[in-house]
Amino acid sequence: MESRQEISSKFNEVAHAYDQQRRKLIPCFDDFYDTAVSLADVSASSPHILDLGAGTGLFSSMLLRRYPKAKFTLIDLSPKMLEIAKSRFHESADVTYLVEDYTNFAAPGKFDLIISALSIHHLSDTGKRTIYRNAYANLKPGGILINADQVLGATPFIESLYTNNWKSKVEASGLARDELDSAYERTRLDRMSALETQINWLKEIGFSDADCVYKNFNFVVMFGRKRSGG
């Protein structure tokens, strides 16, 4: 992962307040996550779920409510973020924590669901394509990829609309000035790619039913399914 030490450092700094801030930094928080969770529709009662860039485990915790017998693997560069994740899951939850770069994580054919929220946009185009290829390999046939993330505007004008809309909303969110400044500083780590480009990558890699299921300015939920014979 590009700049992985810087990414780890920045997210270690905000780990203690990350969940509290996230609702205010994602103006469409409820629809964004509700859509992502609703897409995680698998037949297994105890699915194996891989969370890429899991952070504090927020997305996984939502899926645990849907699948209380699920087996989770949470990967993140930030040890302090994963410490928060450990504290949020009850002792009966089956969770493995890995402090590492998930770019080349390999467990071929192991997972029913691979999820990610607000992480993959930190990668270069090459890194994103690698992640999507590895996700396809790591999914069981019929498995599902859900990426709830941020994307680049299709044109410079659209990108400015996205940026200005987000800033106006977070400035009115009630976050303190230092919290806002920290959030703006973290945007320097963003390496967003256009939505259409990423959907095309998913299709080229072999995902069927690749689509953007939700979009609110630059916040999107992407979906792809590994072919049953894949």
Side-chain angles (χ1 to χ4, degrees):
M1 180 182 288
E2 293 77 8
S3 307
R4 60 179 180 266
Q5 290 183 333
E6 185 177 7
I7 292 170
S8 177
S9 175
K10 290 295 183 185
F11 284 93
N12 278 335
E13 290 173 6
V14 299
H16 66 287
Y18 189 72
D19 282 358
Q20 179 183 354
Q21 293 178 10
R22 186 178 286 199
R23 183 174 287 275
K24 294 182 177 181
L25 290 171
I26 306 172
C28 54
F29 181 96
D30 289 324
D31 286 344
F32 182 68
Y33 279 102
D34 286 350
T35 300
V37 171
S38 72
L39 292 171
D41 191 12
V42 296
S43 58
S45 61
S46 56
H48 288 245
I49 300 174
L50 172 64
D51 190 342
L52 302 172
T56 64
L58 178 62
F59 192 2
S60 283
S61 72
M62 295 176 180
L63 287 176
L64 181 61
R65 292 195 289 270
R66 182 170 182 178
Y67 298 106
K69 296 181 180 179
K71 298 176 176 63
F72 290 88
T73 300
L74 274 57
I75 306 181
D76 200 274
L77 281 172
S78 167
K80 290 190 176 180
M81 295 285 270
L82 285 181
E83 286 176 12
I84 303 296
K86 290 178 183 178
S87 70
R88 87 183 310 146
F89 288 101
H90 54 73
E91 293 182 1
S92 62
D94 188 342
V95 185
T96 299
Y97 303 92
L98 301 176
V99 180
E100 61 182 73
D101 178 354
Y102 60 72
T103 308
N104 293 310
F105 179 80
K110 179 176 180 179
F111 296 99
D112 300 283
L113 282 167
I114 296 179
I115 63 172
S116 186
L118 301 169
S119 180
I120 292 174
H121 71 275
H122 293 130
L123 300 174
S124 67
D125 284 3
T126 298
K128 292 184 186 75
R129 295 183 77 170
T130 298
I131 287 298
Y132 293 145
R133 280 196 299 269
N134 290 343
Y136 192 87
N138 290 333
L139 283 169
K140 296 177 183 178
I144 292 171
L145 170 69
I146 300 168
N147 181 23
D149 210 356
Q150 294 170 262
V151 296
L152 186 69
T155 68
F157 179 79
I158 294 298
E159 176 60 20
S160 69
L161 286 181
Y162 290 173
T163 301
N164 292 336
N165 176 269
W166 178 71
K167 285 187 174 181
S168 68
K169 288 176 177 175
V170 299
E171 288 283 348
S173 69
L175 285 170
R177 186 73 253 166
D178 63 327
E179 293 174 312
L180 290 167
D181 290 342
S182 177
Y184 294 154
E185 177 69 15
R186 290 195 302 276
T187 65
R188 294 193 309 104
L189 302 172
D190 294 346
R191 305 185 70 178
M192 293 183 287
S193 305
L195 173 61
E196 183 178 1
T197 299
Q198 295 186 70
I199 296 297
N200 285 336
W201 290 339
L202 294 176
K203 292 177 179 177
E204 290 169 3
I205 289 164
F207 282 98
S208 60
D209 308 306
D211 195 13
C212 170
V213 180
Y214 174 84
K215 186 173 188 297
N216 187 309
F217 289 85
N218 70 320
F219 291 95
V220 305
V221 179
M222 289 176 269
F223 174 90
R225 190 168 54 85
K226 185 170 182 176
R227 301 178 192 280
S228 295

